[in-house]
Amino acid sequence: MKRNLLILFILAASTLTAQSVRKYSNEFLNIGVDAAAFGMANAVTATTSDVNSVYWNPAGLVHIKDNQMAAMHANYFANIATYNYIGGAMPLDERSAVGISMIRFGVDDILNTTQLIDNQGNIDYNRISLFSTADYAFALTYARKTKIEGLSFGANAKVIRRVIGQFADAWGFGFDAGLQYETGSWKFGAMARDITTTYNTWNIDEDEFESIQGAVEGENQELPETTEITIPKLQMGAARTFKIKEDFDLTTALNMEVRFAQTNDIISTESFSATPAFGFEVGYTNMVFLRGGVGNFQDVQQLGGGTQVGFQPNFGVGFRYKGIQIDYAFTDIGDQSVALYSNIFSLKLDWSVFRSK
């Protein structure tokens, strides 16, 4: 029973313990947005060109012609966790655009059993309560075309809010920056996340911590650190579009994600780690889309010893009519042998659909 008492500090331990600078921090921001991007294994750094550029590469926001908004909902871990995103963008003039976005990743209605046993050692189910743990990100985006033909840049300023019921909460802030370059049928992109590092400061309710400090022998004996720093990550991409027939076109894309730490990525050194992603999109009359991709190549530890290369396959379809686009992706957030697959839907609206002709 005591093992179940501290689900809240099991959650907190993954983010609050160990060193302030760590390999994995604010990981909910690495999940992504937009089912169209998921269908291509997130290999969209070079091609993103709509409202969802506020996440994938802010430099792509300069390509929007009218106001746009997008939304996405997904359930993960057998519907235990929910992930929601909404974004909006508008052009300022022919050379620049702005956008805003919000992401929430949360687990709601968690049983708080820390007070299940009363002072006399009796189990009292009336002492069980519920709480939620949620991560939020709010971003403001600006993008602009440069005087160099085909080159644009953009940046995000983001605020992070993380809440673990009444037990702990944090505020954080950081910046992202991106570039895109287009020449002929080729597109290139680079996105630097947390370029100044993203700094989170935690506030922990010490009274709540004291109430569970001795619940499990040898655990939760010291107050976790109250600061954490997310180190920068770099995403680079290239893509090319081919005309197959009069009504068909094909876009192929390659991405490389680099972390400046040693991880389980398929390319890993003491200084950095990297994993590639490959994606494609077949479009018919710019109305119907078929997508696929593979990415997140990891060296996965096996129970019997040794490692095996794991990867994340993706599949998606989309439909666009005038200014309305609906996309679907079948994917997961781990790899094909670890995490559960999810069905992801997203919606994008171009304000031109509401304007009178």
Side-chain angles (χ1 to χ4, degrees), residues 257-294:
E257 180 172 319
V258 180
R259 294 175 182 261
F260 297 98
Q262 189 168 19
T263 69
N264 290 332
D265 289 345
I266 192 171
I267 303 170
S268 184
T269 70
E270 292 184 357
S271 302
F272 71 92
S273 299
T275 182
F278 309 90
F280 73 88
E281 178 185 80
V282 178
Y284 172 70
T285 65
N286 201 32
M287 181 180 294
V288 180
F289 305 91
L290 174 66
R291 307 179 181 99
V294 60

PDB file of all heavy atoms in Angstrom, residues 257-294:
ATOM      1  N   GLU A 257      17.831  15.324 -35.514  1.00  0.00           N
ATOM      2  CA  GLU A 257      17.668  15.981 -34.220  1.00  0.00           C
ATOM      3  C   GLU A 257      18.901  15.724 -33.374  1.00  0.00           C
ATOM      4  O   GLU A 257      19.294  14.574 -33.171  1.00  0.00           O
ATOM      5  CB  GLU A 257      16.419  15.481 -33.504  1.00  0.00           C
ATOM      6  CG  GLU A 257      16.215  16.140 -32.143  1.00  0.00           C
ATOM      7  CD  GLU A 257      14.882  15.806 -31.516  1.00  0.00           C
ATOM      8  OE1 GLU A 257      13.870  15.772 -32.246  1.00  0.00           O
ATOM      9  OE2 GLU A 257      14.847  15.581 -30.295  1.00  0.00           O
ATOM     10  N   VAL A 258      19.484  16.794 -32.850  1.00  0.00           N
ATOM     11  CA  VAL A 258      20.732  16.703 -32.097  1.00  0.00           C
ATOM     12  C   VAL A 258      20.514  17.213 -30.681  1.00  0.00           C
ATOM     13  O   VAL A 258      19.986  18.322 -30.489  1.00  0.00           O
ATOM     14  CB  VAL A 258      21.857  17.512 -32.775  1.00  0.00           C
ATOM     15  CG1 VAL A 258      23.152  17.395 -31.979  1.00  0.00           C
ATOM     16  CG2 VAL A 258      22.049  17.051 -34.212  1.00  0.00           C
ATOM     17  N   ARG A 259      20.895  16.407 -29.696  1.00  0.00           N
ATOM     18  CA  ARG A 259      20.920  16.836 -28.297  1.00  0.00           C
ATOM     19  C   ARG A 259      22.375  16.939 -27.869  1.00  0.00           C
ATOM     20  O   ARG A 259      23.188  16.096 -28.224  1.00  0.00           O
ATOM     21  CB  ARG A 259      20.206  15.824 -27.386  1.00  0.00           C
ATOM     22  CG  ARG A 259      18.717  15.683 -27.615  1.00  0.00           C
ATOM     23  CD  ARG A 259      18.188  14.560 -26.723  1.00  0.00           C
ATOM     24  NE  ARG A 259      16.765  14.305 -26.890  1.00  0.00           N
ATOM     25  CZ  ARG A 259      15.820  14.759 -26.097  1.00  0.00           C
ATOM     26  NH1 ARG A 259      16.138  15.493 -25.053  1.00  0.00           N
ATOM     27  NH2 ARG A 259      14.553  14.467 -26.321  1.00  0.00           N
ATOM     28  N   PHE A 260      22.681  17.940 -27.073  1.00  0.00           N
ATOM     29  CA  PHE A 260      24.059  18.139 -26.631  1.00  0.00           C
ATOM     30  C   PHE A 260      24.275  17.440 -25.293  1.00  0.00           C
ATOM     31  O   PHE A 260      24.656  18.042 -24.280  1.00  0.00           O
ATOM     32  CB  PHE A 260      24.378  19.628 -26.572  1.00  0.00           C
ATOM     33  CG  PHE A 260      24.288  20.279 -27.924  1.00  0.00           C
ATOM     34  CD1 PHE A 260      23.152  20.978 -28.308  1.00  0.00           C
ATOM     35  CD2 PHE A 260      25.319  20.146 -28.833  1.00  0.00           C
ATOM     36  CE1 PHE A 260      23.044  21.558 -29.565  1.00  0.00           C
ATOM     37  CE2 PHE A 260      25.238  20.723 -30.092  1.00  0.00           C
ATOM     38  CZ  PHE A 260      24.096  21.425 -30.461  1.00  0.00           C
ATOM     39  N   ALA A 261      24.014  16.131 -25.309  1.00  0.00           N
ATOM     40  CA  ALA A 261      24.190  15.255 -24.156  1.00  0.00           C
ATOM     41  C   ALA A 261      24.193  13.830 -24.666  1.00  0.00           C
ATOM     42  O   ALA A 261      23.733  13.546 -25.784  1.00  0.00           O
ATOM     43  CB  ALA A 261      23.066  15.450 -23.132  1.00  0.00           C
ATOM     44  N   GLN A 262      24.731  12.915 -23.882  1.00  0.00           N
ATOM     45  CA  GLN A 262      24.759  11.510 -24.279  1.00  0.00           C
ATOM     46  C   GLN A 262      23.440  10.849 -23.906  1.00  0.00           C
ATOM     47  O   GLN A 262      23.026  10.864 -22.744  1.00  0.00           O
ATOM     48  CB  GLN A 262      25.917  10.779 -23.607  1.00  0.00           C
ATOM     49  CG  GLN A 262      26.141   9.373 -24.149  1.00  0.00           C
ATOM     50  CD  GLN A 262      27.464   8.778 -23.685  1.00  0.00           C
ATOM     51  OE1 GLN A 262      28.057   9.233 -22.704  1.00  0.00           O
ATOM     52  NE2 GLN A 262      27.943   7.771 -24.380  1.00  0.00           N
ATOM     53  N   THR A 263      22.745  10.295 -24.893  1.00  0.00           N
ATOM     54  CA  THR A 263      21.453   9.654 -24.689  1.00  0.00           C
ATOM     55  C   THR A 263      21.458   8.282 -25.358  1.00  0.00           C
ATOM     56  O   THR A 263      22.509   7.784 -25.772  1.00  0.00           O
ATOM     57  CB  THR A 263      20.317  10.518 -25.266  1.00  0.00           C
ATOM     58  OG1 THR A 263      20.417  10.516 -26.695  1.00  0.00           O
ATOM     59  CG2 THR A 263      20.395  11.946 -24.749  1.00  0.00           C
ATOM     60  N   ASN A 264      20.275   7.708 -25.526  1.00  0.00           N
ATOM     61  CA  ASN A 264      20.144   6.429 -26.212  1.00  0.00           C
ATOM     62  C   ASN A 264      19.915   6.583 -27.712  1.00  0.00           C
ATOM     63  O   ASN A 264      19.582   5.595 -28.380  1.00  0.00           O
ATOM     64  CB  ASN A 264      18.989   5.620 -25.611  1.00  0.00           C
ATOM     65  CG  ASN A 264      19.301   5.118 -24.212  1.00  0.00           C
ATOM     66  OD1 ASN A 264      20.457   4.898 -23.863  1.00  0.00           O
ATOM     67  ND2 ASN A 264      18.267   4.952 -23.409  1.00  0.00           N
ATOM     68  N   ASP A 265      20.066   7.797 -28.238  1.00  0.00           N
ATOM     69  CA  ASP A 265      19.928   7.983 -29.681  1.00  0.00           C
ATOM     70  C   ASP A 265      20.903   7.081 -30.416  1.00  0.00           C
ATOM     71  O   ASP A 265      21.976   6.727 -29.904  1.00  0.00           O
ATOM     72  CB  ASP A 265      20.198   9.442 -30.060  1.00  0.00           C
ATOM     73  CG  ASP A 265      19.072  10.369 -29.603  1.00  0.00           C
ATOM     74  OD1 ASP A 265      17.982   9.858 -29.270  1.00  0.00           O
ATOM     75  OD2 ASP A 265      19.293  11.594 -29.577  1.00  0.00           O
ATOM     76  N   ILE A 266      20.542   6.729 -31.654  1.00  0.00           N
ATOM     77  CA  ILE A 266      21.341   5.772 -32.406  1.00  0.00           C
ATOM     78  C   ILE A 266      22.765   6.288 -32.657  1.00  0.00           C
ATOM     79  O   ILE A 266      23.712   5.512 -32.772  1.00  0.00           O
ATOM     80  CB  ILE A 266      20.638   5.422 -33.737  1.00  0.00           C
ATOM     81  CG1 ILE A 266      21.320   4.219 -34.388  1.00  0.00           C
ATOM     82  CG2 ILE A 266      20.570   6.617 -34.647  1.00  0.00           C
ATOM     83  CD1 ILE A 266      20.561   3.676 -35.585  1.00  0.00           C
ATOM     84  N   ILE A 267      22.923   7.601 -32.747  1.00  0.00           N
ATOM     85  CA  ILE A 267      24.246   8.229 -32.806  1.00  0.00           C
ATOM     86  C   ILE A 267      24.484   8.889 -31.455  1.00  0.00           C
ATOM     87  O   ILE A 267      23.752   9.804 -31.079  1.00  0.00           O
ATOM     88  CB  ILE A 267      24.330   9.274 -33.933  1.00  0.00           C
ATOM     89  CG1 ILE A 267      23.984   8.638 -35.283  1.00  0.00           C
ATOM     90  CG2 ILE A 267      25.708   9.922 -33.967  1.00  0.00           C
ATOM     91  CD1 ILE A 267      23.817   9.651 -36.404  1.00  0.00           C
ATOM     92  N   SER A 268      25.470   8.429 -30.710  1.00  0.00           N
ATOM     93  CA  SER A 268      25.642   8.942 -29.352  1.00  0.00           C
ATOM     94  C   SER A 268      27.117   9.018 -28.984  1.00  0.00           C
ATOM     95  O   SER A 268      27.874   8.054 -29.159  1.00  0.00           O
ATOM     96  CB  SER A 268      24.910   8.026 -28.354  1.00  0.00           C
ATOM     97  OG  SER A 268      24.988   8.544 -27.051  1.00  0.00           O
ATOM     98  N   THR A 269      27.530  10.194 -28.518  1.00  0.00           N
ATOM     99  CA  THR A 269      28.878  10.408 -28.014  1.00  0.00           C
ATOM    100  C   THR A 269      28.768  11.126 -26.675  1.00  0.00           C
ATOM    101  O   THR A 269      27.688  11.489 -26.221  1.00  0.00           O
ATOM    102  CB  THR A 269      29.718  11.260 -28.990  1.00  0.00           C
ATOM    103  OG1 THR A 269      29.223  12.606 -28.977  1.00  0.00           O
ATOM    104  CG2 THR A 269      29.636  10.706 -30.402  1.00  0.00           C
ATOM    105  N   GLU A 270      29.893  11.361 -26.038  1.00  0.00           N
ATOM    106  CA  GLU A 270      29.881  12.087 -24.774  1.00  0.00           C
ATOM    107  C   GLU A 270      29.457  13.539 -24.950  1.00  0.00           C
ATOM    108  O   GLU A 270      28.977  14.164 -24.008  1.00  0.00           O
ATOM    109  CB  GLU A 270      31.269  12.023 -24.125  1.00  0.00           C
ATOM    110  CG  GLU A 270      31.671  10.630 -23.650  1.00  0.00           C
ATOM    111  CD  GLU A 270      33.007  10.632 -22.937  1.00  0.00           C
ATOM    112  OE1 GLU A 270      33.630  11.721 -22.866  1.00  0.00           O
ATOM    113  OE2 GLU A 270      33.427   9.569 -22.459  1.00  0.00           O
ATOM    114  N   SER A 271      29.645  14.088 -26.145  1.00  0.00           N
ATOM    115  CA  SER A 271      29.346  15.500 -26.379  1.00  0.00           C
ATOM    116  C   SER A 271      27.954  15.740 -26.944  1.00  0.00           C
ATOM    117  O   SER A 271      27.324  16.749 -26.640  1.00  0.00           O
ATOM    118  CB  SER A 271      30.388  16.099 -27.336  1.00  0.00           C
ATOM    119  OG  SER A 271      31.697  15.961 -26.814  1.00  0.00           O
ATOM    120  N   PHE A 272      27.461  14.814 -27.766  1.00  0.00           N
ATOM    121  CA  PHE A 272      26.154  15.009 -28.387  1.00  0.00           C
ATOM    122  C   PHE A 272      25.574  13.657 -28.803  1.00  0.00           C
ATOM    123  O   PHE A 272      26.275  12.650 -28.901  1.00  0.00           O
ATOM    124  CB  PHE A 272      26.253  15.931 -29.606  1.00  0.00           C
ATOM    125  CG  PHE A 272      26.943  15.309 -30.797  1.00  0.00           C
ATOM    126  CD1 PHE A 272      26.215  14.637 -31.774  1.00  0.00           C
ATOM    127  CD2 PHE A 272      28.328  15.379 -30.924  1.00  0.00           C
ATOM    128  CE1 PHE A 272      26.845  14.046 -32.851  1.00  0.00           C
ATOM    129  CE2 PHE A 272      28.966  14.789 -32.010  1.00  0.00           C
ATOM    130  CZ  PHE A 272      28.226  14.130 -32.981  1.00  0.00           C
ATOM    131  N   SER A 273      24.270  13.687 -29.051  1.00  0.00           N
ATOM    132  CA  SER A 273      23.564  12.520 -29.568  1.00  0.00           C
ATOM    133  C   SER A 273      22.650  12.986 -30.683  1.00  0.00           C
ATOM    134  O   SER A 273      22.189  14.135 -30.697  1.00  0.00           O
ATOM    135  CB  SER A 273      22.749  11.842 -28.468  1.00  0.00           C
ATOM    136  OG  SER A 273      23.584  11.399 -27.412  1.00  0.00           O
ATOM    137  N   ALA A 274      22.370  12.080 -31.633  1.00  0.00           N
ATOM    138  CA  ALA A 274      21.544  12.466 -32.774  1.00  0.00           C
ATOM    139  C   ALA A 274      20.724  11.287 -33.264  1.00  0.00           C
ATOM    140  O   ALA A 274      21.137  10.130 -33.150  1.00  0.00           O
ATOM    141  CB  ALA A 274      22.418  13.007 -33.908  1.00  0.00           C
ATOM    142  N   THR A 275      19.559  11.598 -33.787  1.00  0.00           N
ATOM    143  CA  THR A 275      18.694  10.577 -34.386  1.00  0.00           C
ATOM    144  C   THR A 275      18.036  11.160 -35.624  1.00  0.00           C
ATOM    145  O   THR A 275      17.590  12.311 -35.615  1.00  0.00           O
ATOM    146  CB  THR A 275      17.635  10.081 -33.384  1.00  0.00           C
ATOM    147  OG1 THR A 275      16.836   9.056 -33.992  1.00  0.00           O
ATOM    148  CG2 THR A 275      16.727  11.196 -32.918  1.00  0.00           C
ATOM    149  N   PRO A 276      17.977  10.393 -36.736  1.00  0.00           N
ATOM    150  CA  PRO A 276      17.362  10.903 -37.957  1.00  0.00           C
ATOM    151  C   PRO A 276      15.873  10.596 -38.019  1.00  0.00           C
ATOM    152  O   PRO A 276      15.345   9.790 -37.241  1.00  0.00           O
ATOM    153  CB  PRO A 276      18.111  10.130 -39.055  1.00  0.00           C
ATOM    154  CG  PRO A 276      18.415   8.806 -38.406  1.00  0.00           C
ATOM    155  CD  PRO A 276      18.657   9.108 -36.936  1.00  0.00           C
ATOM    156  N   ALA A 277      15.190  11.259 -38.934  1.00  0.00           N
ATOM    157  CA  ALA A 277      13.784  10.983 -39.230  1.00  0.00           C
ATOM    158  C   ALA A 277      13.571  11.164 -40.726  1.00  0.00           C
ATOM    159  O   ALA A 277      14.115  12.093 -41.326  1.00  0.00           O
ATOM    160  CB  ALA A 277      12.867  11.904 -38.442  1.00  0.00           C
ATOM    161  N   PHE A 278      12.806  10.258 -41.309  1.00  0.00           N
ATOM    162  CA  PHE A 278      12.507  10.305 -42.731  1.00  0.00           C
ATOM    163  C   PHE A 278      10.991  10.386 -42.911  1.00  0.00           C
ATOM    164  O   PHE A 278      10.244   9.655 -42.252  1.00  0.00           O
ATOM    165  CB  PHE A 278      13.032   9.059 -43.446  1.00  0.00           C
ATOM    166  CG  PHE A 278      14.478   8.753 -43.173  1.00  0.00           C
ATOM    167  CD1 PHE A 278      14.848   7.941 -42.105  1.00  0.00           C
ATOM    168  CD2 PHE A 278      15.473   9.288 -43.973  1.00  0.00           C
ATOM    169  CE1 PHE A 278      16.175   7.655 -41.843  1.00  0.00           C
ATOM    170  CE2 PHE A 278      16.812   9.008 -43.718  1.00  0.00           C
ATOM    171  CZ  PHE A 278      17.166   8.200 -42.652  1.00  0.00           C
ATOM    172  N   GLY A 279      10.532  11.242 -43.809  1.00  0.00           N
ATOM    173  CA  GLY A 279       9.099  11.358 -44.036  1.00  0.00           C
ATOM    174  C   GLY A 279       8.782  11.665 -45.480  1.00  0.00           C
ATOM    175  O   GLY A 279       9.632  12.160 -46.234  1.00  0.00           O
ATOM    176  N   PHE A 280       7.549  11.357 -45.881  1.00  0.00           N
ATOM    177  CA  PHE A 280       7.098  11.690 -47.226  1.00  0.00           C
ATOM    178  C   PHE A 280       5.628  12.073 -47.187  1.00  0.00           C
ATOM    179  O   PHE A 280       4.883  11.704 -46.277  1.00  0.00           O
ATOM    180  CB  PHE A 280       7.308  10.520 -48.198  1.00  0.00           C
ATOM    181  CG  PHE A 280       6.336   9.385 -47.989  1.00  0.00           C
ATOM    182  CD1 PHE A 280       5.094   9.373 -48.626  1.00  0.00           C
ATOM    183  CD2 PHE A 280       6.665   8.321 -47.162  1.00  0.00           C
ATOM    184  CE1 PHE A 280       4.202   8.328 -48.435  1.00  0.00           C
ATOM    185  CE2 PHE A 280       5.772   7.280 -46.969  1.00  0.00           C
ATOM    186  CZ  PHE A 280       4.539   7.277 -47.603  1.00  0.00           C
ATOM    187  N   GLU A 281       5.217  12.835 -48.198  1.00  0.00           N
ATOM    188  CA  GLU A 281       3.821  13.211 -48.369  1.00  0.00           C
ATOM    189  C   GLU A 281       3.478  13.180 -49.851  1.00  0.00           C
ATOM    190  O   GLU A 281       4.147  13.814 -50.661  1.00  0.00           O
ATOM    191  CB  GLU A 281       3.553  14.602 -47.807  1.00  0.00           C
ATOM    192  CG  GLU A 281       2.114  15.069 -48.004  1.00  0.00           C
ATOM    193  CD  GLU A 281       1.908  16.507 -47.534  1.00  0.00           C
ATOM    194  OE1 GLU A 281       2.279  17.436 -48.301  1.00  0.00           O
ATOM    195  OE2 GLU A 281       1.401  16.691 -46.409  1.00  0.00           O
ATOM    196  N   VAL A 282       2.439  12.415 -50.195  1.00  0.00           N
ATOM    197  CA  VAL A 282       1.912  12.396 -51.553  1.00  0.00           C
ATOM    198  C   VAL A 282       0.626  13.214 -51.563  1.00  0.00           C
ATOM    199  O   VAL A 282      -0.294  12.944 -50.772  1.00  0.00           O
ATOM    200  CB  VAL A 282       1.629  10.965 -52.032  1.00  0.00           C
ATOM    201  CG1 VAL A 282       1.032  10.987 -53.446  1.00  0.00           C
ATOM    202  CG2 VAL A 282       2.907  10.135 -52.014  1.00  0.00           C
ATOM    203  N   GLY A 283       0.559  14.227 -52.414  1.00  0.00           N
ATOM    204  CA  GLY A 283      -0.613  15.075 -52.487  1.00  0.00           C
ATOM    205  C   GLY A 283      -1.335  14.945 -53.806  1.00  0.00           C
ATOM    206  O   GLY A 283      -0.690  14.815 -54.868  1.00  0.00           O
ATOM    207  N   TYR A 284      -2.654  14.953 -53.772  1.00  0.00           N
ATOM    208  CA  TYR A 284      -3.469  14.893 -54.971  1.00  0.00           C
ATOM    209  C   TYR A 284      -4.289  16.172 -55.068  1.00  0.00           C
ATOM    210  O   TYR A 284      -5.113  16.465 -54.193  1.00  0.00           O
ATOM    211  CB  TYR A 284      -4.393  13.682 -54.939  1.00  0.00           C
ATOM    212  CG  TYR A 284      -5.406  13.645 -56.066  1.00  0.00           C
ATOM    213  CD1 TYR A 284      -4.997  13.415 -57.386  1.00  0.00           C
ATOM    214  CD2 TYR A 284      -6.760  13.857 -55.819  1.00  0.00           C
ATOM    215  CE1 TYR A 284      -5.918  13.397 -58.428  1.00  0.00           C
ATOM    216  CE2 TYR A 284      -7.691  13.840 -56.849  1.00  0.00           C
ATOM    217  CZ  TYR A 284      -7.264  13.607 -58.154  1.00  0.00           C
ATOM    218  OH  TYR A 284      -8.180  13.588 -59.185  1.00  0.00           O
ATOM    219  N   THR A 285      -4.024  16.968 -56.082  1.00  0.00           N
ATOM    220  CA  THR A 285      -4.674  18.256 -56.348  1.00  0.00           C
ATOM    221  C   THR A 285      -4.683  19.165 -55.113  1.00  0.00           C
ATOM    222  O   THR A 285      -5.592  19.964 -54.925  1.00  0.00           O
ATOM    223  CB  THR A 285      -6.122  18.071 -56.850  1.00  0.00           C
ATOM    224  OG1 THR A 285      -6.916  17.489 -55.803  1.00  0.00           O
ATOM    225  CG2 THR A 285      -6.158  17.209 -58.092  1.00  0.00           C
ATOM    226  N   ASN A 286      -3.672  19.021 -54.283  1.00  0.00           N
ATOM    227  CA  ASN A 286      -3.563  19.824 -53.057  1.00  0.00           C
ATOM    228  C   ASN A 286      -4.814  19.713 -52.191  1.00  0.00           C
ATOM    229  O   ASN A 286      -5.160  20.632 -51.438  1.00  0.00           O
ATOM    230  CB  ASN A 286      -3.314  21.296 -53.400  1.00  0.00           C
ATOM    231  CG  ASN A 286      -2.690  22.058 -52.246  1.00  0.00           C
ATOM    232  OD1 ASN A 286      -1.928  21.500 -51.457  1.00  0.00           O
ATOM    233  ND2 ASN A 286      -3.005  23.331 -52.136  1.00  0.00           N
ATOM    234  N   MET A 287      -5.465  18.526 -52.267  1.00  0.00           N
ATOM    235  CA  MET A 287      -6.700  18.315 -51.520  1.00  0.00           C
ATOM    236  C   MET A 287      -6.639  17.072 -50.647  1.00  0.00           C
ATOM    237  O   MET A 287      -7.082  17.092 -49.493  1.00  0.00           O
ATOM    238  CB  MET A 287      -7.889  18.212 -52.476  1.00  0.00           C
ATOM    239  CG  MET A 287      -9.233  18.018 -51.817  1.00  0.00           C
ATOM    240  SD  MET A 287     -10.604  17.905 -53.004  1.00  0.00           S
ATOM    241  CE  MET A 287     -10.604  19.557 -53.682  1.00  0.00           C
ATOM    242  N   VAL A 288      -6.087  15.984 -51.152  1.00  0.00           N
ATOM    243  CA  VAL A 288      -5.990  14.722 -50.425  1.00  0.00           C
ATOM    244  C   VAL A 288      -4.513  14.378 -50.257  1.00  0.00           C
ATOM    245  O   VAL A 288      -3.725  14.513 -51.206  1.00  0.00           O
ATOM    246  CB  VAL A 288      -6.725  13.590 -51.172  1.00  0.00           C
ATOM    247  CG1 VAL A 288      -6.616  12.288 -50.392  1.00  0.00           C
ATOM    248  CG2 VAL A 288      -8.186  13.961 -51.389  1.00  0.00           C
ATOM    249  N   PHE A 289      -4.139  13.919 -49.044  1.00  0.00           N
ATOM    250  CA  PHE A 289      -2.733  13.678 -48.740  1.00  0.00           C
ATOM    251  C   PHE A 289      -2.546  12.311 -48.085  1.00  0.00           C
ATOM    252  O   PHE A 289      -3.345  11.900 -47.237  1.00  0.00           O
ATOM    253  CB  PHE A 289      -2.191  14.756 -47.801  1.00  0.00           C
ATOM    254  CG  PHE A 289      -2.385  16.156 -48.307  1.00  0.00           C
ATOM    255  CD1 PHE A 289      -3.533  16.876 -47.975  1.00  0.00           C
ATOM    256  CD2 PHE A 289      -1.444  16.744 -49.132  1.00  0.00           C
ATOM    257  CE1 PHE A 289      -3.727  18.158 -48.447  1.00  0.00           C
ATOM    258  CE2 PHE A 289      -1.633  18.034 -49.610  1.00  0.00           C
ATOM    259  CZ  PHE A 289      -2.782  18.742 -49.266  1.00  0.00           C
ATOM    260  N   LEU A 290      -1.494  11.640 -48.474  1.00  0.00           N
ATOM    261  CA  LEU A 290      -1.075  10.383 -47.855  1.00  0.00           C
ATOM    262  C   LEU A 290       0.341  10.582 -47.336  1.00  0.00           C
ATOM    263  O   LEU A 290       1.218  11.043 -48.077  1.00  0.00           O
ATOM    264  CB  LEU A 290      -1.111   9.239 -48.863  1.00  0.00           C
ATOM    265  CG  LEU A 290      -0.556   7.886 -48.380  1.00  0.00           C
ATOM    266  CD1 LEU A 290      -1.444   7.316 -47.273  1.00  0.00           C
ATOM    267  CD2 LEU A 290      -0.429   6.913 -49.537  1.00  0.00           C
ATOM    268  N   ARG A 291       0.555  10.234 -46.059  1.00  0.00           N
ATOM    269  CA  ARG A 291       1.858  10.506 -45.439  1.00  0.00           C
ATOM    270  C   ARG A 291       2.407   9.269 -44.741  1.00  0.00           C
ATOM    271  O   ARG A 291       1.655   8.394 -44.289  1.00  0.00           O
ATOM    272  CB  ARG A 291       1.734  11.644 -44.410  1.00  0.00           C
ATOM    273  CG  ARG A 291       1.091  12.908 -44.967  1.00  0.00           C
ATOM    274  CD  ARG A 291       0.963  13.978 -43.901  1.00  0.00           C
ATOM    275  NE  ARG A 291       0.318  15.188 -44.418  1.00  0.00           N
ATOM    276  CZ  ARG A 291      -0.969  15.481 -44.249  1.00  0.00           C
ATOM    277  NH1 ARG A 291      -1.747  14.651 -43.539  1.00  0.00           N
ATOM    278  NH2 ARG A 291      -1.475  16.576 -44.754  1.00  0.00           N
ATOM    279  N   GLY A 292       3.717   9.219 -44.629  1.00  0.00           N
ATOM    280  CA  GLY A 292       4.371   8.146 -43.886  1.00  0.00           C
ATOM    281  C   GLY A 292       5.748   8.591 -43.456  1.00  0.00           C
ATOM    282  O   GLY A 292       6.302   9.572 -43.977  1.00  0.00           O
ATOM    283  N   GLY A 293       6.309   7.881 -42.493  1.00  0.00           N
ATOM    284  CA  GLY A 293       7.650   8.237 -42.035  1.00  0.00           C
ATOM    285  C   GLY A 293       8.134   7.309 -40.943  1.00  0.00           C
ATOM    286  O   GLY A 293       7.380   6.492 -40.401  1.00  0.00           O
ATOM    287  N   VAL A 294       9.388   7.437 -40.627  1.00  0.00           N
ATOM    288  CA  VAL A 294       9.997   6.658 -39.556  1.00  0.00           C
ATOM    289  C   VAL A 294      11.072   7.521 -38.901  1.00  0.00           C
ATOM    290  O   VAL A 294      11.778   8.276 -39.576  1.00  0.00           O
ATOM    291  CB  VAL A 294      10.592   5.334 -40.097  1.00  0.00           C
ATOM    292  CG1 VAL A 294      11.669   5.601 -41.141  1.00  0.00           C
ATOM    293  CG2 VAL A 294      11.123   4.472 -38.970  1.00  0.00           C
TER     294      VAL A 294
END
